[in-house]
């Protein structure tokens, strides 16, 4: 079977143009209405091969001729005349900007399904390699800059060459070398940098090799929508790398993993004429480029897509948020699928069928039939044409098969969009309503896009009002807040105002038009009095220095340069404003609904790119991923946008910990017995230091002191164990209870952990004491085993009474009367005369752990009571001699007929008492 050529029309008029590039000025033949950027995009596609006698440097002509010769050799054309006609038609579509080849799509790494156990292991490996590459790149960049400073320190040195290369004699070199060493450079690298000072340097790492490897995996739509564990991890990978594509079926994942070696795109706006769509010309162009791709691809995958679908809808006044626009876009893509697969079937008759089609013949044919039925049901003028094209493709596919089973895809490519005049590729993407045009002298000026112009004209809108709103007045005359008179009053002369308004034509904003390079540094320093150091700042703002506020600058900028949008133009009616709002900032739900409508007909899934704010969290990524799955998209990719330029994380200043107040010890160790005073009144001053804001945790020493207090509250045993800092302040507590339920014991243990953490982070102990004393719950009642506390209303009441008495000197919390278990558990209170008992000194071994001190405390240390605490009971009279013969401590007490040592527990009969009795 022979394929006849499809010829769209005559070649466009081209004219010579001087194109200034970074290294040369080129004389190139190009269409007169194309911008320089568009011409350069075609020259870049030509990969440096340039012929000044051919349009666009000859790249399109060489491409068309190569494919025509290859098609003739493959037998796709009947003779050389058909091949020449095909070549000319293909060249015309490129020179008129109707179609363009697209760059290849690299094949991503195919991961297992996210539901399989291997997925996490493989994904973690890719994630680790990517993190390593990121860290290595950042470290290498810093190290490279440090080594460059080493070379610069040598190169900038004037004098003896040996001295300049000696870090001991060249102080700048010494500082740079030390910095490079601190960043990880070994001394050999530093020496090489010194030796190679002044020579051209190469970077330590390839900046193009820093990006993450593209990944693709299949996932269950139900699992993604439900945010199960596997898809949540996949969302985290996508959130961190922006490189994971999730396909909702294994077939789409496999197709995406193959990539596409050759691609092309067609601008659909070129076929809309006077309110009608040229279906015949569109079908011919799609068939023409399908044939070109079938010739070029060989055995490699190929894709064909559409550009300007959103602009095509806008020109017809169809909002992408409405059902009518979705049906129109779906019908257009269905028409493209029918035309492309018909041409592919014709190519299959000569070149053979795709192995995928041979394996899935019935499935693919059934899919074509279903698409035809769905296309016919669309509410669009193109529905019938689309259904007819799909019917033809179905018939040809049944007869000849398909050369490419999966050909049409809604892919996006920025370079191809630039070659097509800024028409974005994708499902239904639209260009900004305000675009840029180039004048004959090369000046870029703002203008409405063709689609926006058509939409406004057909709607009968106030075109001039819309233009002023979107593109401004181009002058500060009559501008609010900052007009010519106000500027003159602030010291600007007519010359500076004229310079600024000339710069408005190509400036990015009003501040840029008043930059020192435009206004003149001499005027700013001499007239406005700007300091020299301020002028040296690249971010110096002339208008702010002149006293204008942010609100005033924004209002004047909008008057001069416009809002660059039409969605808030009050001169337009509500429907038109809503239409432009849907184009300028489409809602996520509307965008996903459009993608689902289009991908009902496309042969291949194209990943819907879902943008995330830079400060989003993985949970936000998982929710966005789930929303897309529920909307019906076939594939998606999370894209976390980069943080704004100059973003700096706000961190608190390093805090200096305030010195802790000195704490007075209740007992005082002395080396000899001193008679205690009969009565001593001590005024206790408590300074409460509460730190606000963040505080570092104060760790306890590994070997710490403390005490263990055993007691029983209401018959329930409680062991309180404390740990102290070196200064004696409590830093942790442990609470153990026996014969209690497991849940109660666990709660008490975890409560003790919480209190310990609070103490170590600086919460004052008295805060806890005030919070927990007097709490009431069982067990409660008399306390046994504690010499200061005889009753408590709860376990917590007892614990914090004990801590208050022992560490805070809170004698008011002590009670010595077990019968006084009333509402507060404090006993009889003050005013009851229990008599005064003279305190006796106590041996140091009663309070100091022999194991903790490791025998460092002398045996003759005793503790004298400090303060006015009353003895709870009169101590028994000392035994004769007071010194224990076993341990040497002065701790003997008479207990009935026995003398007992409080330190070692040695007992002996009291001979003096026995002798007296006899």
């Amino acid at each position: 079977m022979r394929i006849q050529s499809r010829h769209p029309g005559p070649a466009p008029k081209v004219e010579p143009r001087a194109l200034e590039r970074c290294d040369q000025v080129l004389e190139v033949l190009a269409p007169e209405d194309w911008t320089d950027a568009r011409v350069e995009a075609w020259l870049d596609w030509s990969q440096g091969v340039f012929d000044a006698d051919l349009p666009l440097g000859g790249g399109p002509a060489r491409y068309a001729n190569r494919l025509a010769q290859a098609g003739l050799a493959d037998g796709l054309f009947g003779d050389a005349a058909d091949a020449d006609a095909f070549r000319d038609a293909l060249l015309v579509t490129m020179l008129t900007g109707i179609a363009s080849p697209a760059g290849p799509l690299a094949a991503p790494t195919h991961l297992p399904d996210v539901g399989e156990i291997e997925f996490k292991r493989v994904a973690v490996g890719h994630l680790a390699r990517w993190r390593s590459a990121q860290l290595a790149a950042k470290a290498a960049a810093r190290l490279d800059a440090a080594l460059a400073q080493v070379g610069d320190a040598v190169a900038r040195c004037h004098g003896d060459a040996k001295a300049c290369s000696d870090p001991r004699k060249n102080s700048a070199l010494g500082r740079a070398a030390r910095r490079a060493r601190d960043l990880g450079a070994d001394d050999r690298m530093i020496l090489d940098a010194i030796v190679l000072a002044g020579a051209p340097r190469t970077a330590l790492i390839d900046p193009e090799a820093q990006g993450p490897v593209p990944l693709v995996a299949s996932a269950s739509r139900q699992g993604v929508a439900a945010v199960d564990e596997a898809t949540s991890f996949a969302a985290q990978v996508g959130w961190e790398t922006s490189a994971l594509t999730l396909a909702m079926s294994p077939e789409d994942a496999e197709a995406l993993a193959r990539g596409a070696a050759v691609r092309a795109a067609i601008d659909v706006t070129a076929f809309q004429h006077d309110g009608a769509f040229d279906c015949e010309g569109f079908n011919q162009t799609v068939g023409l480029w399908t044939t070109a791709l079938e010739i070029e691809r060989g055995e490699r995958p190929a894709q064909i897509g559409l550009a300007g679908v959103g602009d095509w809808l806008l020109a017809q006044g169809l909002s992408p948020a409405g059902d009518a626009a979705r049906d129109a876009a779906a019908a257009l893509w269905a028409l493209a699928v029918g035309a492309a697969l018909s041409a592919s079937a014709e190519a299959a008759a000569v070149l053979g069928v795709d192995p995928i089609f041979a394996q899935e013949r019935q499935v693919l044919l059934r899919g074509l039939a279903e698409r035809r039925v769905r296309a016919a049901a669309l509410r669009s003028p193109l529905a019938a044409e689309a259904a007819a094209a799909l019917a033809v493709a179905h018939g040809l596919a049944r007869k000849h098969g398909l050369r490419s089973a999966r050909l049409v895809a809604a892919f996006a490519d920025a370079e191809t969009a630039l070659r097509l005049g800024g028409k974005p590729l994708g499902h239904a993407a639209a260009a900004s309503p305000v675009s840029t045009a180039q004048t004959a002298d090369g000046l870029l000026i703002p203008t409405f896009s063709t689609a926006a112009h058509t939409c406004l004209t057909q709607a009968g809108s106030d075109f001039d009002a819309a233009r002023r709103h979107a593109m401004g007045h181009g002058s500060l005359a009559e501008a609010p807040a900052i007009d010519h008179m106000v500027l003159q009053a602030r010291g600007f002369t007519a010359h500076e105002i004229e310079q600024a308004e000339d710069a408005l034509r190509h400036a990015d904003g009003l501040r840029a038009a008043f930059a020192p390079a435009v206004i003149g540094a001499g005027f700013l320093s001499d007239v406005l009095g700007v300091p020299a150091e301020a002028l040296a700042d690249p971010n110096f703002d002339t208008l702010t220095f002149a006293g204008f506020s942010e609100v005033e600058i924004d209002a004047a900028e909008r008057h001069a340069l416009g809002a660059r949008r039409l969605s808030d133009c009050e001169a337009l009616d509500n429907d038109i404003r809503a239409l432009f709002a849907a184009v300028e900032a489409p809602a996520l739900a509307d965008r996903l609904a459009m993608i689902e409508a289009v991908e009902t007909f496309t042969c291949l899934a194209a990943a819907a790119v879902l943008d995330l704010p830079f400060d989003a969290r993985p949970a936000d990524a998982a929710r966005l991923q789930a929303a897309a799955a529920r909307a019906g998209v076939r594939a998606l990719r999370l894209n976390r946008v980069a943080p704004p330029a100059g973003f700096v994380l706000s961190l608190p200043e390093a805090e200096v910990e305030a010195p802790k107040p000195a704490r007075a010890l209740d007992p005082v160790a002395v080396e000899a017995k001193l008679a205690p005073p009969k009565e001593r009144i001590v005024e206790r001053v408590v300074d409460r230091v509460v730190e606000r804001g963040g505080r570092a945790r104060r760790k306890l020493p590994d070997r710490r002191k403390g005490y263990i207090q055993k007691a029983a509250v209401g018959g329930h045993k409680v062991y309180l164990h404390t740990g102290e800092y070196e200064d004696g302040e409590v830093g942790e507590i442990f609470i153990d209870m026996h014969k209690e339920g497991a849940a109660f014991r666990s709660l008490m243990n975890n409560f003790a952990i919480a209190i310990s953490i609070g103490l170590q982070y600086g919460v004052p102990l008295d805060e806890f004491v005030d919070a927990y004393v007097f709490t009431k719950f069982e067990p409660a009642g008399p306390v046994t085993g504690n010499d200061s506390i005889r009753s408590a209303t709860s376990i917590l009441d007892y614990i914090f009474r004990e801590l208050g008495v022992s560490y805070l000197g809170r004698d008011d919390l002590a009670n010595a009367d077990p019968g006084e278990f009333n509402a507060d558990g404090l006993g009889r209170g003050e005013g009851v005369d229990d008599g005064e008992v003279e305190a006796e000194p106590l041996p140091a071994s009663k309070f100091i752990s022999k194991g903790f001190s490791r025998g460092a405390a002398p045996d003759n240390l005793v503790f004298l009571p400090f303060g006015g605490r009353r003895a709870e009971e009169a101590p028994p009279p000392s035994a004769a001699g007071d010194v224990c013969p076993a341990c040497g401590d002065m701790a003997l007490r008479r207990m009935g007929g026995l003398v007992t040592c409080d330190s070692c527990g040695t007992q002996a009969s009291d001979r003096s008492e026995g002798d007296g009795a006899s």
Side-chain angles (χ1 to χ4, degrees), residues 740-755:
E740 305 291 340
F744 188 84
R745 292 201 310 269
S746 299
L747 285 174
M748 294 304 294
N749 289 337
N750 286 280
F751 175 80
I753 292 173
I755 296 298

mmCIF file with all atom_site columns, all heavy atoms in Angstrom, residues 740-755:
data_model
loop_
_atom_site.group_PDB
_atom_site.id
_atom_site.type_symbol
_atom_site.label_atom_id
_atom_site.label_alt_id
_atom_site.label_comp_id
_atom_site.label_asym_id
_atom_site.label_entity_id
_atom_site.label_seq_id
_atom_site.pdbx_PDB_ins_code
_atom_site.Cartn_x
_atom_site.Cartn_y
_atom_site.Cartn_z
_atom_site.occupancy
_atom_site.B_iso_or_equiv
_atom_site.pdbx_formal_charge
_atom_site.auth_seq_id
_atom_site.auth_comp_id
_atom_site.auth_asym_id
_atom_site.auth_atom_id
_atom_site.pdbx_PDB_model_num
ATOM 1   N N   . GLU A 1 740 ? 0.504  -4.079 92.975 1.00 0.00 ? 740 GLU A N   1
ATOM 2   C CA  . GLU A 1 740 ? -0.511 -3.276 92.308 1.00 0.00 ? 740 GLU A CA  1
ATOM 3   C C   . GLU A 1 740 ? -0.743 -3.850 90.909 1.00 0.00 ? 740 GLU A C   1
ATOM 4   O O   . GLU A 1 740 ? 0.049  -4.653 90.399 1.00 0.00 ? 740 GLU A O   1
ATOM 5   C CB  . GLU A 1 740 ? -0.082 -1.814 92.199 1.00 0.00 ? 740 GLU A CB  1
ATOM 6   C CG  . GLU A 1 740 ? 0.297  -1.175 93.515 1.00 0.00 ? 740 GLU A CG  1
ATOM 7   C CD  . GLU A 1 740 ? -0.887 -0.990 94.436 1.00 0.00 ? 740 GLU A CD  1
ATOM 8   O OE1 . GLU A 1 740 ? -2.035 -1.000 93.923 1.00 0.00 ? 740 GLU A OE1 1
ATOM 9   O OE2 . GLU A 1 740 ? -0.688 -0.865 95.653 1.00 0.00 ? 740 GLU A OE2 1
ATOM 10  N N   . GLY A 1 741 ? -1.798 -3.409 90.259 1.00 0.00 ? 741 GLY A N   1
ATOM 11  C CA  . GLY A 1 741 ? -2.050 -3.861 88.899 1.00 0.00 ? 741 GLY A CA  1
ATOM 12  C C   . GLY A 1 741 ? -0.991 -3.357 87.925 1.00 0.00 ? 741 GLY A C   1
ATOM 13  O O   . GLY A 1 741 ? -0.348 -2.325 88.146 1.00 0.00 ? 741 GLY A O   1
ATOM 14  N N   . ALA A 1 742 ? -0.818 -4.092 86.820 1.00 0.00 ? 742 ALA A N   1
ATOM 15  C CA  . ALA A 1 742 ? 0.200  -3.717 85.829 1.00 0.00 ? 742 ALA A CA  1
ATOM 16  C C   . ALA A 1 742 ? -0.086 -2.353 85.228 1.00 0.00 ? 742 ALA A C   1
ATOM 17  O O   . ALA A 1 742 ? 0.828  -1.557 85.003 1.00 0.00 ? 742 ALA A O   1
ATOM 18  C CB  . ALA A 1 742 ? 0.279  -4.785 84.738 1.00 0.00 ? 742 ALA A CB  1
ATOM 19  N N   . ALA A 1 743 ? -1.350 -2.052 84.978 1.00 0.00 ? 743 ALA A N   1
ATOM 20  C CA  . ALA A 1 743 ? -1.687 -0.756 84.363 1.00 0.00 ? 743 ALA A CA  1
ATOM 21  C C   . ALA A 1 743 ? -1.341 0.387  85.314 1.00 0.00 ? 743 ALA A C   1
ATOM 22  O O   . ALA A 1 743 ? -0.765 1.404  84.901 1.00 0.00 ? 743 ALA A O   1
ATOM 23  C CB  . ALA A 1 743 ? -3.175 -0.715 84.004 1.00 0.00 ? 743 ALA A CB  1
ATOM 24  N N   . PHE A 1 744 ? -1.672 0.229  86.606 1.00 0.00 ? 744 PHE A N   1
ATOM 25  C CA  . PHE A 1 744 ? -1.386 1.297  87.569 1.00 0.00 ? 744 PHE A CA  1
ATOM 26  C C   . PHE A 1 744 ? 0.114  1.495  87.722 1.00 0.00 ? 744 PHE A C   1
ATOM 27  O O   . PHE A 1 744 ? 0.607  2.630  87.760 1.00 0.00 ? 744 PHE A O   1
ATOM 28  C CB  . PHE A 1 744 ? -2.027 0.953  88.909 1.00 0.00 ? 744 PHE A CB  1
ATOM 29  C CG  . PHE A 1 744 ? -1.951 2.065  89.910 1.00 0.00 ? 744 PHE A CG  1
ATOM 30  C CD1 . PHE A 1 744 ? -2.893 3.084  89.905 1.00 0.00 ? 744 PHE A CD1 1
ATOM 31  C CD2 . PHE A 1 744 ? -0.930 2.115  90.847 1.00 0.00 ? 744 PHE A CD2 1
ATOM 32  C CE1 . PHE A 1 744 ? -2.822 4.121  90.811 1.00 0.00 ? 744 PHE A CE1 1
ATOM 33  C CE2 . PHE A 1 744 ? -0.856 3.143  91.766 1.00 0.00 ? 744 PHE A CE2 1
ATOM 34  C CZ  . PHE A 1 744 ? -1.798 4.147  91.750 1.00 0.00 ? 744 PHE A CZ  1
ATOM 35  N N   . ARG A 1 745 ? 0.872  0.388  87.819 1.00 0.00 ? 745 ARG A N   1
ATOM 36  C CA  . ARG A 1 745 ? 2.334  0.518  87.958 1.00 0.00 ? 745 ARG A CA  1
ATOM 37  C C   . ARG A 1 745 ? 2.942  1.186  86.733 1.00 0.00 ? 745 ARG A C   1
ATOM 38  O O   . ARG A 1 745 ? 3.836  2.029  86.842 1.00 0.00 ? 745 ARG A O   1
ATOM 39  C CB  . ARG A 1 745 ? 2.962  -0.869 88.153 1.00 0.00 ? 745 ARG A CB  1
ATOM 40  C CG  . ARG A 1 745 ? 2.610  -1.517 89.480 1.00 0.00 ? 745 ARG A CG  1
ATOM 41  C CD  . ARG A 1 745 ? 3.634  -2.596 89.843 1.00 0.00 ? 745 ARG A CD  1
ATOM 42  N NE  . ARG A 1 745 ? 3.875  -3.516 88.747 1.00 0.00 ? 745 ARG A NE  1
ATOM 43  C CZ  . ARG A 1 745 ? 3.194  -4.646 88.557 1.00 0.00 ? 745 ARG A CZ  1
ATOM 44  N NH1 . ARG A 1 745 ? 2.215  -4.973 89.404 1.00 0.00 ? 745 ARG A NH1 1
ATOM 45  N NH2 . ARG A 1 745 ? 3.480  -5.445 87.558 1.00 0.00 ? 745 ARG A NH2 1
ATOM 46  N N   . SER A 1 746 ? 2.447  0.805  85.541 1.00 0.00 ? 746 SER A N   1
ATOM 47  C CA  . SER A 1 746 ? 2.988  1.410  84.316 1.00 0.00 ? 746 SER A CA  1
ATOM 48  C C   . SER A 1 746 ? 2.686  2.900  84.263 1.00 0.00 ? 746 SER A C   1
ATOM 49  O O   . SER A 1 746 ? 3.533  3.704  83.846 1.00 0.00 ? 746 SER A O   1
ATOM 50  C CB  . SER A 1 746 ? 2.402  0.697  83.094 1.00 0.00 ? 746 SER A CB  1
ATOM 51  O OG  . SER A 1 746 ? 2.758  -0.665 83.096 1.00 0.00 ? 746 SER A OG  1
ATOM 52  N N   . LEU A 1 747 ? 1.481  3.275  84.659 1.00 0.00 ? 747 LEU A N   1
ATOM 53  C CA  . LEU A 1 747 ? 1.146  4.697  84.668 1.00 0.00 ? 747 LEU A CA  1
ATOM 54  C C   . LEU A 1 747 ? 2.039  5.474  85.621 1.00 0.00 ? 747 LEU A C   1
ATOM 55  O O   . LEU A 1 747 ? 2.502  6.585  85.310 1.00 0.00 ? 747 LEU A O   1
ATOM 56  C CB  . LEU A 1 747 ? -0.324 4.883  85.055 1.00 0.00 ? 747 LEU A CB  1
ATOM 57  C CG  . LEU A 1 747 ? -1.362 4.546  83.983 1.00 0.00 ? 747 LEU A CG  1
ATOM 58  C CD1 . LEU A 1 747 ? -2.760 4.631  84.559 1.00 0.00 ? 747 LEU A CD1 1
ATOM 59  C CD2 . LEU A 1 747 ? -1.228 5.469  82.783 1.00 0.00 ? 747 LEU A CD2 1
ATOM 60  N N   . MET A 1 748 ? 2.302  4.921  86.807 1.00 0.00 ? 748 MET A N   1
ATOM 61  C CA  . MET A 1 748 ? 3.172  5.609  87.752 1.00 0.00 ? 748 MET A CA  1
ATOM 62  C C   . MET A 1 748 ? 4.598  5.708  87.222 1.00 0.00 ? 748 MET A C   1
ATOM 63  O O   . MET A 1 748 ? 5.266  6.746  87.386 1.00 0.00 ? 748 MET A O   1
ATOM 64  C CB  . MET A 1 748 ? 3.158  4.881  89.098 1.00 0.00 ? 748 MET A CB  1
ATOM 65  C CG  . MET A 1 748 ? 1.816  4.932  89.815 1.00 0.00 ? 748 MET A CG  1
ATOM 66  S SD  . MET A 1 748 ? 1.196  6.609  90.090 1.00 0.00 ? 748 MET A SD  1
ATOM 67  C CE  . MET A 1 748 ? 2.414  7.241  91.232 1.00 0.00 ? 748 MET A CE  1
ATOM 68  N N   . ASN A 1 749 ? 5.086  4.629  86.584 1.00 0.00 ? 749 ASN A N   1
ATOM 69  C CA  . ASN A 1 749 ? 6.448  4.679  86.016 1.00 0.00 ? 749 ASN A CA  1
ATOM 70  C C   . ASN A 1 749 ? 6.552  5.751  84.937 1.00 0.00 ? 749 ASN A C   1
ATOM 71  O O   . ASN A 1 749 ? 7.518  6.529  84.903 1.00 0.00 ? 749 ASN A O   1
ATOM 72  C CB  . ASN A 1 749 ? 6.819  3.314  85.436 1.00 0.00 ? 749 ASN A CB  1
ATOM 73  C CG  . ASN A 1 749 ? 7.058  2.270  86.512 1.00 0.00 ? 749 ASN A CG  1
ATOM 74  O OD1 . ASN A 1 749 ? 7.367  2.618  87.640 1.00 0.00 ? 749 ASN A OD1 1
ATOM 75  N ND2 . ASN A 1 749 ? 6.923  1.008  86.164 1.00 0.00 ? 749 ASN A ND2 1
ATOM 76  N N   . ASN A 1 750 ? 5.572  5.814  84.038 1.00 0.00 ? 750 ASN A N   1
ATOM 77  C CA  . ASN A 1 750 ? 5.625  6.802  82.964 1.00 0.00 ? 750 ASN A CA  1
ATOM 78  C C   . ASN A 1 750 ? 5.392  8.205  83.491 1.00 0.00 ? 750 ASN A C   1
ATOM 79  O O   . ASN A 1 750 ? 5.922  9.179  82.959 1.00 0.00 ? 750 ASN A O   1
ATOM 80  C CB  . ASN A 1 750 ? 4.598  6.454  81.883 1.00 0.00 ? 750 ASN A CB  1
ATOM 81  C CG  . ASN A 1 750 ? 5.027  5.282  81.036 1.00 0.00 ? 750 ASN A CG  1
ATOM 82  O OD1 . ASN A 1 750 ? 5.836  5.435  80.125 1.00 0.00 ? 750 ASN A OD1 1
ATOM 83  N ND2 . ASN A 1 750 ? 4.522  4.102  81.339 1.00 0.00 ? 750 ASN A ND2 1
ATOM 84  N N   . PHE A 1 751 ? 4.592  8.319  84.566 1.00 0.00 ? 751 PHE A N   1
ATOM 85  C CA  . PHE A 1 751 ? 4.431  9.632  85.198 1.00 0.00 ? 751 PHE A CA  1
ATOM 86  C C   . PHE A 1 751 ? 5.761  10.115 85.750 1.00 0.00 ? 751 PHE A C   1
ATOM 87  O O   . PHE A 1 751 ? 6.128  11.295 85.606 1.00 0.00 ? 751 PHE A O   1
ATOM 88  C CB  . PHE A 1 751 ? 3.389  9.519  86.310 1.00 0.00 ? 751 PHE A CB  1
ATOM 89  C CG  . PHE A 1 751 ? 3.235  10.776 87.113 1.00 0.00 ? 751 PHE A CG  1
ATOM 90  C CD1 . PHE A 1 751 ? 2.473  11.833 86.633 1.00 0.00 ? 751 PHE A CD1 1
ATOM 91  C CD2 . PHE A 1 751 ? 3.852  10.913 88.346 1.00 0.00 ? 751 PHE A CD2 1
ATOM 92  C CE1 . PHE A 1 751 ? 2.335  13.000 87.369 1.00 0.00 ? 751 PHE A CE1 1
ATOM 93  C CE2 . PHE A 1 751 ? 3.715  12.077 89.078 1.00 0.00 ? 751 PHE A CE2 1
ATOM 94  C CZ  . PHE A 1 751 ? 2.956  13.114 88.596 1.00 0.00 ? 751 PHE A CZ  1
ATOM 95  N N   . ALA A 1 752 ? 6.534  9.207  86.360 1.00 0.00 ? 752 ALA A N   1
ATOM 96  C CA  . ALA A 1 752 ? 7.843  9.581  86.895 1.00 0.00 ? 752 ALA A CA  1
ATOM 97  C C   . ALA A 1 752 ? 8.784  10.007 85.774 1.00 0.00 ? 752 ALA A C   1
ATOM 98  O O   . ALA A 1 752 ? 9.573  10.944 85.926 1.00 0.00 ? 752 ALA A O   1
ATOM 99  C CB  . ALA A 1 752 ? 8.438  8.414  87.680 1.00 0.00 ? 752 ALA A CB  1
ATOM 100 N N   . ILE A 1 753 ? 8.709  9.314  84.636 1.00 0.00 ? 753 ILE A N   1
ATOM 101 C CA  . ILE A 1 753 ? 9.546  9.708  83.486 1.00 0.00 ? 753 ILE A CA  1
ATOM 102 C C   . ILE A 1 753 ? 9.193  11.122 83.029 1.00 0.00 ? 753 ILE A C   1
ATOM 103 O O   . ILE A 1 753 ? 10.073 11.942 82.745 1.00 0.00 ? 753 ILE A O   1
ATOM 104 C CB  . ILE A 1 753 ? 9.372  8.694  82.344 1.00 0.00 ? 753 ILE A CB  1
ATOM 105 C CG1 . ILE A 1 753 ? 9.965  7.336  82.743 1.00 0.00 ? 753 ILE A CG1 1
ATOM 106 C CG2 . ILE A 1 753 ? 10.030 9.201  81.066 1.00 0.00 ? 753 ILE A CG2 1
ATOM 107 C CD1 . ILE A 1 753 ? 9.689  6.232  81.743 1.00 0.00 ? 753 ILE A CD1 1
ATOM 108 N N   . ALA A 1 754 ? 7.890  11.412 82.949 1.00 0.00 ? 754 ALA A N   1
ATOM 109 C CA  . ALA A 1 754 ? 7.471  12.750 82.517 1.00 0.00 ? 754 ALA A CA  1
ATOM 110 C C   . ALA A 1 754 ? 7.968  13.826 83.473 1.00 0.00 ? 754 ALA A C   1
ATOM 111 O O   . ALA A 1 754 ? 8.441  14.896 83.065 1.00 0.00 ? 754 ALA A O   1
ATOM 112 C CB  . ALA A 1 754 ? 5.944  12.795 82.402 1.00 0.00 ? 754 ALA A CB  1
ATOM 113 N N   . ILE A 1 755 ? 7.867  13.568 84.792 1.00 0.00 ? 755 ILE A N   1
ATOM 114 C CA  . ILE A 1 755 ? 8.354  14.543 85.769 1.00 0.00 ? 755 ILE A CA  1
ATOM 115 C C   . ILE A 1 755 ? 9.858  14.720 85.629 1.00 0.00 ? 755 ILE A C   1
ATOM 116 O O   . ILE A 1 755 ? 10.387 15.842 85.682 1.00 0.00 ? 755 ILE A O   1
ATOM 117 C CB  . ILE A 1 755 ? 7.985  14.090 87.189 1.00 0.00 ? 755 ILE A CB  1
ATOM 118 C CG1 . ILE A 1 755 ? 6.459  14.072 87.362 1.00 0.00 ? 755 ILE A CG1 1
ATOM 119 C CG2 . ILE A 1 755 ? 8.628  14.989 88.230 1.00 0.00 ? 755 ILE A CG2 1
ATOM 120 C CD1 . ILE A 1 755 ? 5.803  15.413 87.200 1.00 0.00 ? 755 ILE A CD1 1
#
